[in-house]
């Protein structure tokens, strides 16, 4: 009896983090252009600390540009304003913060979690119902694991667990490496906005690099499997 063919593995999609938002109208216009140019699954909005009403107004000003493009809008922290702002979810740091916020957000909204220093923390987040786990973002002191350590964690998670894993990439080279080891999404942020060529050129380049890296690894694995069969 012939074995059932394995469906092709989807190419990792981009997850774009904004700068801390000062002028939502200007950023909304830029996001409209960016999301039309690249395959962005979600946008993580970083808010400057303010009163809840002002932060909700900022999210509502950005929402049409993001959600009308088919991307999810997540807020970095502030789970208490997600529903009122019409956001699609929140990204939280640490398992405790996620567990505290999840009852008010799930099942209708996305709850992602980062700040997972150990494998145990990662597994605890998955068991608590995280919709995705993020590896590789800077800690409170701006320190990050090495590219190799992040790639190893992504590969380990991908092989054993169901929830999607996200790799925080600070460069095109990191994005390529994470796509090649099984990341479901690649989060990019400051390196995009600070690129002297402009955010659009940087984002498109990284999207293309992710697609090539994915095809080079998983496309080759599929071809090798056919050859062995």
């Amino acid at each position: 009896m012939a074995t059932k063919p394995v469906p092709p593995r989807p190419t990792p999609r981009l997850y774009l983090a904004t700068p801390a938002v000062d002028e939502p109208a200007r950023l909304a216009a830029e996001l409209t252009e960016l999301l039309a140019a690249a395959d962005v699954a979600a946008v993580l909005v970083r808010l400057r600390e303010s009163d809840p009403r002002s932060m909700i107004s900022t999210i509502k000003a950005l929402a049409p540009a993001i959600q009308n493009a088919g991307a999810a809008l997540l807020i970095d922290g502030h789970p208490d304003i997600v529903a009122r702002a019409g956001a699609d979810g929140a990204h939280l740091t640490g398992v405790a913060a996620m567990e505290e916020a999840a009852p008010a957000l799930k099942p209708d909204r996305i709850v992602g979690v980062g700040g997972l220093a150990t494998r145990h923390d990662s597994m605890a987040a998955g068991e608590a119902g995280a919709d995705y786990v993020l590896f590789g973002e800077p800690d409170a002191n701006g320190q990050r694991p090495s590219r190799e350590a992040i790639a190893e964690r992504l590969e380990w998670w991908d092989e054993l667990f169901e929830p999607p894993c996200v790799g925080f990439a600070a460069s095109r080279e990191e994005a390529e490496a994470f796509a090649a080891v099984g990341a479901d999404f690649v989060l990019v942020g400051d390196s995009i906005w600070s690129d002297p060529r402009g955010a659009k050129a940087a984002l498109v380049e990284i999207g293309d690099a992710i697609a090539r890296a994915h095809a080079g690894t998983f496309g080759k694995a599929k071809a090798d499997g056919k050859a062995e069969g």
Side-chain angles (χ1 to χ4, degrees):
M1 182 181 293
T3 57
K4 186 176 181 180
V6 177
R9 184 187 180 102
T11 301
R13 301 185 69 194
L14 289 163
Y15 184 5
L16 176 63
T18 72
V21 183
D22 281 320
E23 300 179 21
R26 180 177 177 180
L27 179 59
E30 191 165 11
L31 285 170
T32 297
E33 183 179 7
L34 291 177
L35 300 185
D39 179 28
V40 177
V43 176
L44 180 64
V45 178
R46 295 166 169 166
L47 294 165
R48 289 205 185 278
E49 292 295 330
S50 181
D51 61 278
R53 179 176 294 180
S54 296
M55 292 191 291
I56 289 169
S57 295
T58 295
I59 294 297
K60 288 185 174 181
L62 295 174
I66 298 169
Q67 294 170 332
N68 290 349
L73 190 167
L74 278 77
I75 301 174
D76 191 8
H78 306 289
D80 53 310
I81 68 170
V82 167
R84 286 181 287 163
D88 297 294
H91 175 80
L92 302 164
T93 300
V95 179
M98 184 212 136
E99 289 179 333
E100 181 179 350
L105 296 174
K106 294 181 74 69
D108 297 325
R109 290 178 167 82
I110 300 166
V111 180
V113 61
L116 304 170
T118 67
R119 291 190 177 193
H120 179 269
D121 289 344
S122 308
M123 291 187 288
E127 290 169 359
D131 291 299
Y132 69 79
V133 292
L134 172 67
F135 300 126
E137 77 277 26
D139 63 18
N141 298 315
Q143 301 299 309
R144 301 175 63 227
S146 68
R147 182 173 75 185
E148 293 74 19
I150 300 167
E152 185 276 334
R153 184 67 59 85
L154 289 164
E155 187 171 26
W156 163 75
W157 183 272
D158 176 62
E159 290 176 351
L160 297 176
F161 303 100
E162 287 296 324
C165 57
V166 184
F168 181 104
S171 66
R172 186 192 67 203
E173 292 76 17
E174 287 190 353
E176 290 175 328
F178 301 159
V181 297
D184 297 288
F185 300 90
V186 176
L187 177 64
V188 292
D190 294 343
S191 65
I192 295 295
W193 303 104
S194 63
D195 194 295
R197 299 169 301 167
K200 179 180 176 180
L203 191 65
V204 169
E205 180 183 66
I206 285 188
D208 291 343
I210 288 170
R212 287 195 303 271
H214 172 80
T217 300
F218 296 101
K220 182 178 183 301
K222 183 178 178 181
D224 290 346
K226 287 184 177 180
E228 292 174 1

